[in-house]
Structures are given as C-alpha cells and as structure tokens.
Amino acid sequence: MVSLTHVSAYLLRHRHDVTYFPQMQTGLQARLQNTHLKYSAPAGTNVTVLSHSLRLRPLSALAQGDRRTKPNIDWDSLGFGLKDVAGSMYTATWTEEKGWDAGSLQPYGPIPMMPSAQVLNYGQAIFEGMKAQYTVDGRIVIFRPDKNAERFAAGAQRLSMPVVPEAQFVNAVKSVVASNADWVPPQGKGSMYLRPVLMGSGPILGLGPAPSYTFLIYAAAVGSYFKGGQLTPIDLIVEEHFHRAAPGGMGGTKAAGNYSPVLVTQLNAKKNGYSDVVYLDAKSDTYLEEVSSCNIFIVKGKTIKTPPLQGTILPGVTRRSIIELARLRGYTVEEVPVPVTEAMEADEVFTTGTAVVVSSVGSLTYQGNKKQYTQNGQPGNVSLEMYTALTDIQTGKAADPADWVVKVL
Ligand code: COI
C-alpha cells in the first residue's frame, strides 16, 4: 500500500502522466498493479472511490522536450534560478461555467495564451514562494502550506480573481513535490523552490477581469538567494526616491505587479555593490517598509521590531514564523513602525522571506551614511539564532510543536 502522493510520484517516474484530483479523500490508499490503480480505504474509513479519479496517459503522448528523466544536478553549485527546473508542473483552469477544474500534472513547458490575455495587458496575477526540502530523517516536507493558501486567496480577492480552495492549493503543491522528488536537493544542499501562480489568462480588451484563469505551479532545485551564500551578510541601501507601495494600494498582496517597479532601484543598487534596497513609507519617508524581496527586522538588546501589517508590506510566512519563534525564545517582539533612524542605531538587522530564509544584514546605507552591523563576513548573533531556530524545525532537527512542517513523502 502506498499513499496517493507516492502513487503520483511513482507513476511519473514510470513514464505515465497522472491527472491529480484534489478532491480525492486523504485517507484513501491506492495500490499499483501494472498501470492500473486498485483503491481501498483504511479500515473504518467511509470513502467514496471514483474509478476515474486518476487518469493515466502514456508519456509518449506528451509534447517533445519532456525533461522528466532523472536530473543530472550539481548539488554543490545550486544558485537561485531555473537551471535545474523540475520536470513537471501543475496547471488548472477556471471558467465561469465550470469553476476550477481538477488540474493536472504535465511536463514543464510553454503555456498557450492569446495576445489579449488579461494578464499580459492589465497584469491580473499573483504568485507564491514555497520550499520543499529533505529532513534529517529522510522525509520530504513543505512548510506551513495553509498560510500560503490563505495569502493566495486574499491576493486573488484583492485582484478580482477566483479563489483557489485551500485543499486544491495544498494538494496541487504536494503533487508537484511528489512528482519532482528527484529535484529536491540532498539534506543540507538546498531546497526545491515552488512557484504557484494565479493569473487572468483569458482574453479581454476593455479593462475588466479575465473571463478565465490559470493556476499553475512549477518548481526548481535552488540554493541560497543572495550570491554570497546563505550566511554571508548582505549590504542594503535605503531607497530615497521611489516607494514600493502606498496606503490603499496593493503592497500587502503578493501581486506580480509589485515586483517589476522595484527593478530600477534594485539594479542600480546592485551596480553600486549593494545586495538590495530597503523602501520607506510613502507618506512620510520615515519608516522602514520592506526590502524588494523580503521583510525586515531590527534588533536592540532583547527587543526585536518589525514594521506592522497595514496593507503596504507583505504578510510573510517566514516573517510570522520568526515573530512566533523569537517570542518563544524570550525576545520582546514588536510589530510597530520602525524609523529608519532607529534602524541606523540598531545592534543588528535581518531580513526574512521564503527565498532568503533569514539573512543577516551586514550594513545599511542611508543618506550617504553607512551603518556596519557585522564584522568579517560573519552573520549577526540574533540573525544566526533565528535562522537556526527556523531551519532546525524545517529540517526535523528540532521539535515542531505547532505542526508547521507537512510531510509529502
Ligand atoms: C519568496 O521569498 O519566495 C519570494 O517570492 C520573493 C521573490 C522576490 C523571490
């Protein structure tokens, strides 16, 4: 007997395509006999078994360029990119008449879209970032997927798109992980980054919501986000001309449209030797908001402060987890407006995000003044403590009392 996620992975590795039906009940067990699945339920479980719930298609029927062979990845030189993109992706479609279809796994590749697709013209799109990784005891796990599903739903509503139900979202993520298990780096070498996207893919000319939507998830094996490596402190500069978000806007949404306007400042900062940019609030140019790609925290003694969620910064899953972990470790954590001048006087600064995990900030430059927090390329003590506390839970080295870690395989 194997679980459903095992079955998906098994079939994909044996060159069959599986249409994954999220509504399948979790207690259900499936047994593989050649290319047929026999279903049975654990004793005492009341389940309805739909014989068509998993559809098999020979892989030969799929498009050329399929990459679903065992990947040849150099696990010691993983960066944050698409070099080692996973072989299969999930796509589902929403229409007014049918709502969300069940979605399916297919080879990673181009998706058809008309030039008049809403997303290409008016930008109706949100995305998520998640990671799957090996624990020290050999499980493949994901982290707090319910929180990503929740934020995805809030973002969909903000951009007038249909909500992907939590069960469909989480099951789709699990199916992508299970079917691409070969792309999950060995323990300690990195993770498999998952990118759920929801977009208005249907055509429209006048400004309005798309008539149809695509929900997709692709994945890639990745290493650390910043070039210097996970524990090397990053140098940030405070942006003094552009703002990332304004009150009443969509800064609190993981909208694709929040990430292109930051490029002009980010690229300029990189040219001048900085890793990224910190934005200030649009009203007063006084308080920290967030970095282009992550949330920000400052540390003074045993007090940690981070900007509050008032609609202009992203409600990060890592941000929330670090707040909870820091409190458990005896820090006072305040979600309050943080003046940039206070950050320049802090003992330490760090950033959090799925991609960056927890990154120690080496220096912050504001109005030409540079505040150095760390020495000799070493991360700050609190940054390192919080990084370790989080990743120990994620990798099964430490207890997971709140059930943040969800096993896939
Ligand atoms: C993440 O942290 O997962 C993100 O989506 C940020 C992105 C800029 C890489």
Side-chain angles (χ1 to χ4, degrees):
M1 290 293 201
V2 284
S3 70
L4 270 181
T5 45
H6 280 103
V7 170
S8 308
Y10 183 90
L11 289 169
L12 284 165
R13 283 191 208 164
H14 287 74
R15 309 194 70 72
H16 283 85
D17 183 45
V18 174
T19 302
Y20 186 79
F21 277 67
Q23 70 266 36
M24 241 170 142
Q25 301 181 26
T26 45
L28 194 62
Q29 301 284 301
R31 183 153 38 102
L32 194 71
Q33 284 187 348
N34 300 320
T35 56
H36 292 85
L37 289 167
K38 291 269 178 196
Y39 304 108
S40 63
T45 315
N46 183 18
V47 293
T48 311
V49 177
L50 304 174
S51 61
H52 59 276
S53 284
L54 284 173
R55 283 195 236 123
L56 307 186
R57 268 191 292 159
L59 197 65
S60 55
L62 298 175
Q64 292 274 318
D66 174 41
R67 303 189 56 217
R68 207 178 294 152
T69 48
K70 205 167 169 64
N72 183 16
I73 298 174
D74 178 359
W75 300 117
D76 291 315
S77 65
L78 289 174
F80 193 89
L82 292 168
K83 184 164 75 63
D84 299 307
V85 70
S88 65
M89 64 180 189
Y90 169 95
T91 62
T93 304
W94 183 96
T95 56
E96 182 76 53
E97 311 77 60
K98 296 185 179 157
W100 283 111
D101 68 16
S104 63
L105 290 167
Q106 56 199 261
Y108 173 80
I111 50 171
M113 230 188 295
M114 296 304 253
S116 50
Q118 209 283 6
V119 63
L120 297 179
N121 294 265
Y122 299 123
Q124 217 182 3
I126 55 170
F127 70 96
E128 280 297 315
M130 300 173 73
K131 279 177 175 171
Q133 56 195 310
Y134 268 106
T135 59
V136 283
D137 59 352
R139 289 171 292 144
I140 296 179
V141 298
I142 50 178
F143 187 68
R144 307 187 82 173
D146 54 323
K147 292 285 169 219
N148 294 93
E150 206 177 279
R151 186 171 65 186
F152 208 53
Q157 279 164 336
R158 178 68 182 83
L159 268 69
S160 303
M161 297 194 281
V163 165
V164 177
E166 180 177 323
Q168 178 161 6
F169 179 91
V170 175
N171 280 325
V173 168
K174 286 180 176 177
S175 72
V176 172
V177 174
S179 63
N180 292 297
D182 288 336
W183 275 264
V184 181
Q187 214 284 309
K189 300 282 186 188
S191 55
M192 185 168 74
Y193 187 79
L194 295 142
R195 175 49 64 79
V197 177
L198 170 62
M199 61 185 158
S201 46
I204 193 156
L205 189 56
L207 179 58
S212 57
Y213 292 83
T214 300
F215 164 43
L216 61 84
I217 307 174
Y218 64 89
V222 300
S224 63
Y225 186 74
F226 292 114
K227 281 208 166 58
Q230 183 60 55
L231 294 178
T232 305
I234 55 172
D235 295 306
L236 298 178
I237 181 164
V238 177
E239 170 55 40
E240 292 174 41
H241 303 289
F242 289 103
H243 296 106
R244 179 186 169 276
M250 62 171 190
T253 303
K254 208 162 171 63
N258 283 335
Y259 291 79
S260 290
V262 302
L263 297 178
V264 63
T265 50
Q266 195 194 49
L267 292 174
N268 196 36
K270 283 188 176 170
K271 226 181 331 175
N272 293 316
Y274 300 99
S275 311
D276 212 331
V277 169
V278 187
Y279 288 92
L280 297 180
D281 75 287
K283 251 188 182 166
S284 69
D285 265 331
T286 303
Y287 302 104
L288 302 183
E289 291 267 288
E290 68 177 66
V291 182
S292 316
S293 53
C294 42
N295 295 118
I296 191 161
F297 290 71
I298 71 163
V299 184
K300 189 83 176 175
K302 289 294 280 181
T303 299
I304 298 179
K305 293 185 182 178
T306 194
L309 302 179
Q310 291 173 337
T312 55
I313 68 163
L314 199 75
V317 178
T318 312
R319 173 189 179 278
R320 173 58 42 206
S321 306
I322 290 297
I323 290 172
E324 292 169 29
L325 286 175
R327 285 186 178 138
L328 285 173
R329 301 178 82 82
Y331 290 95
T332 300
V333 184
E334 297 174 9
E335 294 178 70
V336 290
V338 180
V340 58
T341 47
E342 193 176 332
M344 295 294 281
E345 298 299 320
D347 297 339
E348 233 179 276
V349 175
F350 62 86
T351 67
T352 63
T354 299
V356 308
V357 194
V358 176
S359 267
S360 181
V361 174
S363 70
L364 186 62
T365 299
Y366 174 55
Q367 292 184 336
N369 300 315
K370 180 174 183 174
K371 164 78 180 183
Q372 186 72 41
Y373 303 101
T374 64
Q375 305 302 328
N376 307 319
Q378 295 303 307
N381 291 337
V382 181
S383 317
L384 185 59
E385 180 186 349
M386 297 319 305
Y387 170 80
T388 308
L390 177 72
T391 55
D392 277 1
I393 292 176
Q394 291 174 331
T395 55
K397 288 181 194 155
D400 173 26
D403 290 331
W404 285 351
V405 170
V406 174
K407 183 179 172 211
V408 178
L409 287 177

